[in-house]
Amino acid sequence: MAETEAALRTLAHNVRAARTRAGLSLDELGRRAKVSKGALVGLEKAQGNPNFATLVRLADTLGISVSALMEGPAEGRVRVVSADAVMPLWAGEKGGEARLMLTTSGPAPVEVWRWKLAPGEEYPSHPHQSGVVETVSVTAGRMILVVDGAEHPVEAGQTATFDGDVPHTYCGSGSETCHLIMTVHIPPGPGMAS
């Protein structure tokens, strides 16, 4: 439990610092990110349990990566992260999951995710800020990538890329679990949405 409390304190600090840097009140951040003021107050007090969609909306609104909201201070030049050391940020009803492995530093960070999708399982994502580019590389199984209503089959050994500023959904397909690596390329600058 201490690990969860420490993660919530880090998240609270990072949200408050990013909101302050952006010059946003709790009301304005809540309005832009479609998160209630009460939930934001709780989050900044390291209380509650924000879901994955809330973290994505806050990160997009603040123009930073999800992991920038969750990471403590940098630990050095090289980071090696094991999948079993990272808690899933999304868990599907059929056993699927998404783990944010790491985010690169610099003016245009890249998030690296590991996903598992059971056959028939899906994760719908809202549009991200303009300039976000996603790639999905299927390492086992197959999926259907739905981007702005159009379906694109992606099989083991294939990689797809798309602009993430439109609605998109990841769907497990076929008869076995789909494993994929997803990267999210975040544009430099504040990227503030209004």
Side-chain angles (χ1 to χ4, degrees), residues 110-115 132-137 159-162 170 180-186:
V110 176
E111 297 176 346
V112 179
W113 293 80
R114 282 187 180 271
W115 282 77
V132 169
V133 175
E134 291 192 21
T135 64
V136 291
S137 296
T159 299
T161 186
F162 62 96
Y170 320 111
L180 62 109
I181 304 294
M182 178 180 73
T183 60
V184 181
H185 304 260
I186 301 164

Side-chain angles (χ1 to χ4, degrees), residues 161-177:
T161 186
F162 62 96
D163 292 333
D165 60 354
V166 295
H168 49 284
T169 302
Y170 320 111
C171 307
S173 179
S175 59
E176 63 181 91
T177 299

